[in-house]
Amino acid sequence: MTARRVADTRRRRLIEAMKDAGLDAVVLYGNAWQNDYLRYAADFGILEGEGIAVVTSDGETTLYLDDSFEADRAAVECPGLDTVVTDDIVADAAAAIERLGNRRIAAGPKRHLPYGLARRREENRFDDATPILDRLLMIKAEEELQAVRRAARLADEGYAVFRNAARVGRKDYELIAEIEAFFRANGVDDNFMIIGAGGLEVRGMAPPSGKTLKAGDLVTTELTPCVDGYYVQICRTLVIGEASEAQKKAFAVYHEAMIAGIDAVRPGITAADIAKAENDVFRRHGLGDYVTSEYTRVRGHGLGLFPDTKPHILEDVTTTIEQGMSLIVHPNTYHPEVGYMVLGDSLIVTGEGAEVLTTTPRELFSMAADRRAA
Amino acid sequence: MRHGLMLWREGELSQADVLARQRRLQAAMRENGLDAVLVYTNHVRSAGVTYLTGFTPYWSDALLFVPREGQAIFATALSKRVGNWIRSTNPTVEIAHSPQPGRMAGERLSALSAGNIGVVELDRMPSGLVEEITSKTDARLIDATDIFAAVRALPNAAELALATTADRIAANAFAEIPADRRLVGDVTEVLELNARLAGAEECYVAAAPDLAADQRLARMKGNAPLGGYFAIRLSVAYNGVWIRRTESLARMAADGAVAEAARAADRLAEAIDPSAQPAPQIAGHALSAGMTILDWTVEAPVATRPLQPVASRSRPAMRDVPYGVLTLTIGTAHTPLVFTRSFGLARQTARGGGVA
């Protein structure tokens, strides 16, 4: 019932935003990668194939799916949703849009909208729904933030499972197996997760490649469990065995940077201000080269119905931070003396600052090297 | 996304294997007057590029550009920081990084003076990418889905072997389900753990917790109680190739009727010839006494979807496919039961040839 209430809130906000923008309908595309627009309107977590939702200003929502098994799943998981299963969702959705007549219709996300849909409406182009949806996705209602808090609890519990699974002789993918099994048993539908293991040679995180953990390895991960559609992330680093002095010294920089970034969070500043607060710490420690795109992607990002949503925390992003956003601040990057390190906590932007959600200690965890895989 | 084991395994899928597939596509391009073919990929629509290169993106999207002659180019918005990982898992193509991969492809096409460009699933291509391409070339974009589907419908020994491994991973994971099972999570946790420990690249689990009430499978919360008879579907990717397996089980203990229905599903799947239409094969297959087929669906890799519905009881006509999975709803004296089984994986040995 809680998830249903959240979905009802989202739909109400979408209809209000459509009325404010003078729109008669919106057309929202989604797949398992880019699902946030579709889920916002239809509350379906699509897994295979593609979906298109057509939402009219009176709240009527029709979901077009191209897979009969996904349609079965939608019927069970989203009872009451009007679903059409078809081999050609582009043609069928286009026909439905045509039947709406000469009305003002917006579509999104702009880049991912199927070409066939845009092509069929060439003479009467869609408005761009992207800015409207992006704002709804960024600034969340209280019911949505409650879902984000529930996901945060699972992120902490998931990292405890990860720590316990890490030991000498284990393969990197075996750690992921344990995490995913834990998540499936505990109501986590999806999880964005990458991993790094090793030393100076590790420049970032990726899917597991079968690497065997050995003493001295830094093991990095970002875990991003999804509960009722909402993702929350945690980033931590652990050492197999006792951390070296160099590793401890390096970690202190990341710790200081993350705290600086979180302390900077408050309504009215920009995403760039948070990134600058993190990066200034690295610069003070003579590590300014390592906050560039050569070594790191972003210094944090938004979280919600997508695990890596706007705003991206970068020094050239001028998006204003507002109450009701959920973010992760993570100064993850390469360190020239020890390799790739990560540290990040998720938070909600409040009226005064940040409500930090993840509670796992901000430590460079040390897993005894004499713990061996069974 | 993909969270599981991802690496290049030359012994399972060699560079020669994927280069031969690229050459077959290039031959088809020449026959059809195409100067190049573009294939889009993300982790949902990964199968086209996976077939041609062995590479699946764990996240984000990309465009594979196969010219009529020469090396294919993989244009991606993923940053150069991820370049080493991409190169390690995608060794046969040129890797080109660009924040606007469509624009880069358009520039290359323009430099080739390409006139006719085939696009696999043109109507499904992200319109932003098409805009980028057409901003740099005046070439004509032509849907090449059928051309590609005909190339990839030819059974391929390496692909069948990978699908067989995925199938074995799924079957072995089911064998680990505990006898004491009361909640959906008791089953899904075990399947997920064992499939991934066996090297699955990804897996999806769905459940119908009470078959007497509803045979549709969905993602259920772990604390959902199991009814007297339940079904679980495990979809497994191994090295880019997907398979599904669904088992119906009695909650309390081994049930002879359920076991007999499972064996009937095995026998039917083993009898299916993927080079022929499935409807008459299914209609002509005798199940055990007291059992009837209430519904069926065939899924197979065709274009960019790893498995997509290609035929069903209500729409029986099927296009050529290299292999597939058959989902059956079997009526029994007690309750309808659901099973999914692969078919066509033994073609290499069964036919002693005809497999590329």
Side-chain angles (χ1 to χ4, degrees):
Chain A
M1 284 312 283
T2 309
R4 187 73 53 77
R5 271 202 302 277
V6 178
D8 289 344
T9 298
R10 286 200 305 261
R11 196 166 297 127
R12 193 181 66 246
R13 295 180 78 209
L14 175 60
I15 300 304
E16 286 168 5
M18 288 166 65
K19 284 182 177 156
D20 289 346
L23 294 172
D24 298 308
V26 291
V27 178
L28 303 172
Y29 165 83
N31 57 38
W33 171 41
Q34 299 282 337
N35 187 40
D36 44 354
Y37 283 47
L38 189 76
R39 183 137 199 176
Y40 199 92
D43 196 38
F44 181 53
I46 190 168
L47 208 51
E48 298 186 64
E50 296 172 289
I52 297 170
V54 179
V55 184
T56 54
S57 55
D58 59 3
E60 190 177 313
T61 303
T62 305
L63 175 63
Y64 295 84
L65 294 171
D66 61 358
D67 187 302
S68 53
F69 291 115
E70 286 289 272
D72 280 352
R73 210 162 57 72
V76 174
E77 296 176 18
C78 310
L81 181 66
D82 181 16
T83 303
V84 175
V85 59
T86 164
D87 286 342
D88 192 344
I89 53 168
V90 171
D92 281 20
I97 294 162
E98 184 70 28
R99 287 195 294 274
L100 291 173
N102 186 23
R103 299 167 80 183
R104 195 163 164 221
I105 302 171
K110 188 177 181 189
R111 180 178 183 271
H112 295 284
L113 202 65
Y115 169 66
L117 211 53
R119 179 173 58 80
R120 283 173 171 85
R121 203 172 162 81
E122 200 163 356
E123 310 252 319
N124 189 9
R125 295 175 74 87
F126 290 116
D127 286 10
D128 184 6
T130 310
I132 296 169
L133 265 295
D134 279 353
R135 181 159 180 79
L136 290 170
L137 288 161
M138 280 195 293
I139 319 291
K140 296 171 189 69
E142 181 53 36
E143 291 93 329
E144 296 180 273
L145 296 175
Q146 290 296 345
V148 168
R149 291 183 183 99
R150 289 196 297 278
R153 285 199 293 275
L154 269 302
D156 283 321
E157 291 175 23
Y159 191 71
V161 172
F162 183 86
R163 276 171 58 196
N164 197 45
R167 49 188 176 269
V168 168
R170 289 213 93 180
K171 304 279 191 186
D172 50 8
Y173 65 87
E174 294 176 338
L175 275 60
I176 277 132
E178 292 211 13
I179 286 285
E180 291 297 322
F182 168 78
F183 280 157
R184 280 313 86 71
N186 286 278
V188 174
D189 296 332
D190 189 22
N191 171 37
F192 177 94
M193 182 177 184
I194 43 181
I195 188 170
L200 279 170
E201 78 285 4
V202 179
R203 294 285 175 137
M205 295 182 288
S209 60
K211 196 178 267 190
T212 303
L213 302 188
K214 61 184 188 309
D217 279 352
L218 282 180
V219 182
T220 54
T221 192
E222 55 181 39
L223 275 183
T224 323
C226 174
V227 175
D228 295 332
Y230 289 88
Y231 291 87
V232 161
Q233 191 165 86
I234 185 169
C235 305
R236 289 291 187 272
T237 303
L238 62 85
V239 185
I240 303 290
E242 197 63 33
S244 69
E245 284 308 309
Q247 288 168 332
K248 289 177 187 171
K249 191 175 161 208
F251 182 79
V253 177
Y254 292 71
H255 188 253
E256 185 183 342
M258 187 181 75
I259 290 172
I262 291 173
D263 285 351
V265 172
R266 62 184 175 280
I269 65 160
T270 65
D273 293 328
I274 302 172
K276 184 170 184 306
E278 295 176 65
N279 293 346
D280 280 349
V281 172
F282 280 81
R283 293 184 192 109
R284 278 201 301 276
H285 287 277
L287 295 166
D289 287 349
Y290 298 94
V291 300
T292 62
S293 61
E294 189 175 344
Y295 295 99
T296 183
R297 188 179 67 90
V298 290
R299 317 305 281 152
H301 49 80
L303 293 161
L305 292 177
F306 188 64
D308 182 20
T309 193
K310 294 174 183 171
H312 282 173
I313 307 298
L314 286 167
E315 289 193 69
D316 59 358
V317 174
T318 57
T319 306
T320 301
I321 300 301
E322 296 185 52
Q323 185 173 349
M325 285 181 167
S326 51
L327 310 170
I328 182 160
V329 173
H330 64 37
N332 306 345
T333 192
Y334 183 75
H335 191 290
E337 292 173 25
V338 298
Y340 198 78
M341 268 195 170
V342 304
L343 179 66
D345 275 331
S346 289
L347 58 87
I348 288 171
V349 182
T350 66
E352 296 77 37
E355 172 195 346
V356 177
L357 303 176
T358 32
T359 60
T360 299
R362 295 166 176 172
E363 294 175 16
L364 176 59
F365 292 100
S366 178
M367 309 312 295
D370 56 3
R371 287 174 72 231
R372 292 195 163 270
Chain B
M1 73 167 303
R2 299 279 183 272
H3 320 77
L5 183 61
M6 297 184 89
L7 74 161
W8 186 264
R9 280 159 279 197
E10 182 72 15
E12 293 184 351
L13 179 68
S14 70
Q15 295 191 45
D17 287 327
V18 294
L19 285 168
R21 296 173 184 178
Q22 292 172 28
R23 301 292 168 258
R24 278 207 301 279
L25 178 62
Q26 288 174 318
M29 287 156 59
R30 287 189 289 274
E31 284 172 21
N32 288 276
L34 297 176
D35 298 307
V37 163
L38 298 175
V39 193
Y40 174 75
T41 186
N42 59 35
H43 72 265
V44 182
R45 293 177 48 197
S46 54
V49 169
T50 303
Y51 178 80
L52 290 168
T53 68
F55 176 79
T56 304
Y58 70 90
W59 188 246
S60 195
D61 61 353
L63 197 55
L64 182 72
F65 164 25
V66 185
R68 191 161 58 179
E69 308 286 347
Q71 191 183 25
I73 298 154
F74 183 80
T76 177
L78 282 166
S79 73
K80 288 183 180 173
R81 283 192 327 112
V82 193
N84 286 339
W85 180 78
I86 298 175
R87 268 185 288 280
S88 74
T89 51
N90 192 3
T92 66
V93 300
E94 175 191 340
I95 311 294
H97 298 275
S98 168
Q100 294 185 302
R103 189 183 164 102
M104 173 188 281
E107 286 168 350
R108 297 284 188 106
L109 290 165
S110 183
L112 283 176
S113 301
N116 291 325
I117 310 302
V119 182
V120 176
E121 295 176 340
L122 174 60
D123 265 1
R124 302 288 186 102
M125 186 81 107
S127 54
L129 264 183
V130 176
E131 274 180 29
E132 287 176 21
I133 294 164
T134 54
S135 73
K136 289 290 161 190
T137 176
D138 295 326
R140 197 157 64 102
L141 302 184
I142 301 161
D143 185 79
T145 308
D146 288 342
I147 294 169
F148 177 74
V151 169
R152 75 104 59 238
L154 185 66
N156 179 272
E159 183 178 33
L160 296 180
L162 290 173
T164 301
T165 301
D167 205 33
R168 191 166 56 243
I169 288 172
N172 289 344
F174 272 106
E176 297 297 327
I177 290 178
D180 179 20
R181 56 236 180 171
R182 284 167 292 173
L183 304 175
V184 166
D186 296 338
V187 178
T188 55
E189 180 179 21
V190 169
L191 291 178
E192 188 94 31
L193 179 68
N194 284 284
R196 290 182 183 277
L197 286 176
E201 177 181 297
E202 191 54 79
C203 52
Y204 300 149
V205 185
D210 184 1
L211 282 170
D214 196 339
Q215 292 89 53
R216 297 171 300 185
L217 292 110
R219 288 198 293 196
M220 308 299 294
K221 297 291 185 196
N223 61 3
L226 294 171
Y229 294 91
F230 62 95
I232 302 283
R233 181 174 68 216
L234 175 61
S235 307
V236 171
Y238 180 79
N239 205 353
V241 173
W242 283 81
I243 212 78
R244 289 193 219 285
R245 191 173 183 90
T246 306
E247 297 288 1
S248 290
L249 300 162
R251 182 170 63 84
M252 293 301 290
D255 181 304
V258 174
E260 178 50 32
R263 283 193 292 273
D266 288 340
R267 287 193 295 271
L268 174 51
E270 284 164 12
I272 296 281
D273 176 356
S275 66
Q277 289 296 322
Q281 299 184 72
I282 293 167
H285 187 88
L287 296 180
S288 305
M291 291 181 195
T292 53
I293 295 173
L294 303 177
D295 201 5
W296 60 267
T297 301
V298 170
E299 298 171 279
V302 175
T304 64
R305 288 271 307 277
L307 288 174
Q308 73 179 59
V310 290
S312 65
R313 187 184 176 110
S314 57
R315 286 175 302 148
M318 187 178 82
R319 65 198 306 169
D320 288 345
V321 298
Y323 66 94
V325 296
L326 170 66
T327 296
L328 296 162
T329 304
I330 298 179
T332 69
H334 305 294
T335 185
L337 303 172
V338 185
F339 298 93
T340 305
R341 296 291 186 267
S342 61
F343 64 87
L345 302 185
R347 294 174 92 177
Q348 187 178 22
T349 49
R351 295 176 165 201
V355 176

